[in-house]
Amino acid sequence: MYKILMTYNNLEGLDSLFSNEEFKIDVYNKPSLEEFKKLIKDYEGLLIRSEVKVTAEIIEAADRLKFIGRAGTGLDNVDKAMATKRGIVIANVPGGNTLSVAEHTIGLMLSLARNIPEAYKSLKNKKWERKNFVGTELFGKILGLIGLGRIGTEVAKRMSAFGMKVVAYDPFVDSNFAKRNGIEIKGINEVYEEADYISIHSPLNDSTRGMINAAAIKKMKDGVRIINCARGPIINEKDLCYAVKSGKIKGVALDVFMKEPPEDWTIVGMENVIVTPHLAASTKEAQIRIAKEMGEVIVDFFTRGIVRNAINAHK
Ligand code: MLT
């Protein structure tokens, strides 16, 4: 019997894994570091989302661990180098939440353009303030994407239909692929200089951490609006606060934060900043799609020796 530790408690979509007699799945929702270190010793498989950190310390304690499954996309919460060194396969489900994240990004973009959260708040307070919430159209504006992977591409396709011109920075994308989707690939500075809206769709890594900082913001258009549904630490929150306060940035929509939940709530409370608590991938459809695929990946790995969606190793 293969023992799997699961560190979140949404079991939807995992029925076939739970009913498979070759597996014993134990659910411990968001264990503390100390609990996690003790627990992990017994397990061959680990199933996680973004809330827990699988640090070197955890991996060192994981004597029997062979497989880490990330029910989602981002792997910035796993020490990949250490897992790889220990011969542990890491697999994720990269496509499962693409459409959900793209749709949430667009929801935030529209909310910024039309002041929907502020107007909602005002009317709920029984105020009828039409003049305060005059918006702007997205039509004819330039959308600058940082990162043109699956999510960035889906955002681009949809926003082209709104009549936005889409430019993107992504050092790994072929410009013909972009052109076929109506997107122009540009240098990062050109994206900063041209875009009315900047939406971030890059993974968090050494080259993207803190890339939206004071120097980058200085290059952006006055009155730019920024949306981040990727990872919080890609933006320097202090520099962002300063630029919102000064009026350089007209609006910000954040689904992700430097620390989650935030330790410093300054940005959350600011005017012209709209926020959601890391919800972009949280739809019924995405969660079920991801859980089903991850269940199959786990069964294939342990019972058939088939390694799917691995980002670091082959069996
Ligand atoms: C992801 O990386 O899959 C999304 O941000 C959702 C999450 O981490 O929970």
Side-chain angles (χ1 to χ4, degrees):
M1 174 146 342
Y2 303 104
K3 285 187 75 183
I4 311 288
L5 173 65
M6 192 170 156
T7 60
Y8 60 95
N9 60 4
N10 181 353
L11 312 188
E12 229 178 348
L14 286 170
D15 336 13
S16 62
L17 183 62
F18 273 85
S19 58
N20 189 321
E21 288 177 355
E22 292 192 76
F23 290 87
K24 179 171 185 304
I25 322 285
D26 293 328
V27 179
Y28 288 90
N29 192 29
K30 299 186 211 162
S32 68
L33 177 68
E34 284 314 308
E35 286 170 330
F36 199 8
K37 245 164 68 182
K38 272 190 213 141
L39 281 168
I40 194 71
K41 288 185 188 309
D42 284 341
Y43 293 91
E44 287 143 303
L46 173 64
L47 186 49
I48 56 164
R49 291 217 306 218
S50 57
E51 292 94 344
V52 299
K53 285 204 182 328
V54 187
T55 57
E57 208 179 338
I58 297 290
I59 294 170
E60 261 164 8
D63 300 329
R64 305 174 58 193
L65 196 65
K66 295 188 178 65
F67 177 91
I68 299 172
R70 163 70 165 98
T73 309
L75 279 159
D76 44 288
N77 55 332
V78 179
D79 190 323
K80 298 184 270 296
M82 181 56 92
T84 306
K85 197 166 138 204
R86 302 279 307 252
I88 299 165
V89 168
I90 307 170
N92 64 353
V93 187
N97 57 30
T98 300
L99 296 177
S100 295
V101 179
E103 288 182 4
H104 196 76
T105 303
I106 292 163
L108 292 180
M109 210 181 304
L110 283 164
S111 300
L112 279 180
R114 304 306 300 271
N115 305 310
I116 293 170
E118 294 85 352
Y120 166 85
K121 225 184 333 177
S122 152
L123 189 53
K124 283 282 187 178
N125 285 323
K126 303 199 168 99
K127 291 185 192 151
W128 190 259
E129 301 179 311
R130 296 179 65 218
K131 277 202 190 109
N132 290 352
F133 302 117
V134 175
T136 50
E137 290 183 347
L138 293 177
F139 178 83
K141 303 295 188 306
I142 300 179
L143 171 61
L145 300 173
I146 297 179
L148 192 61
R150 291 180 179 85
I151 298 168
T153 304
E154 293 305 325
V155 170
K157 284 186 199 162
R158 285 158 179 75
M159 297 329 287
S160 298
F162 270 68
M164 292 188 96
K165 177 182 171 192
V166 185
V167 298
Y169 167 73
D170 191 321
F172 305 107
V173 164
D174 167 38
S175 59
N176 287 325
F177 163 82
K179 218 183 263 169
R180 279 198 301 279
N181 287 292
I183 307 155
E184 229 180 292
I185 293 290
K186 301 255 180 180
I188 187 68
N189 288 336
E190 290 173 297
V191 171
Y192 290 152
E193 283 157 20
E194 292 177 21
D196 301 297
Y197 286 78
I198 292 180
S199 188
I200 300 165
H201 299 288
S202 312
L204 175 65
N205 55 39
D206 289 344
S207 55
T208 61
R209 188 180 297 276
M211 75 180 281
I212 306 295
N213 55 17
I217 293 169
K218 200 168 166 207
K219 294 177 188 154
M220 295 176 192
K221 269 187 181 169
D222 291 344
V224 65
R225 291 173 170 90
I226 298 179
I227 300 116
N228 188 9
C229 288
R231 283 294 179 266
I234 295 174
I235 299 185
N236 180 316
E237 260 175 32
K238 280 211 167 71
D239 292 355
L240 189 70
C241 284
Y242 183 78
V244 172
K245 220 183 262 169
S246 75
K248 167 78 185 178
I249 296 177
K250 175 91 181 136
V252 174
L254 300 176
D255 185 52
V256 288
F257 302 86
M258 205 83 147
K259 286 259 168 352
E260 294 179 8
E263 276 168 9
D264 177 351
W265 293 84
T266 313
I267 191 83
V268 175
M270 283 183 79
E271 234 179 89
N272 299 323
V273 175
I274 62 176
V275 290
T276 49
H278 203 146
L279 284 185
S282 293
T283 61
K284 281 232 161 241
E285 292 87 345
Q287 297 310 312
I288 291 173
R289 214 179 277 135
I290 286 170
K292 277 197 173 139
E293 188 174 341
M294 185 42 81
E296 287 163 15
V297 169
I298 291 176
V299 171
D300 277 353
F301 177 82
F302 284 102
T303 67
R304 302 195 186 96
I306 298 169
V307 183
R308 282 167 47 190
N309 297 10
I311 61 101
N312 67 333
H314 296 282
K315 225 178 169 188

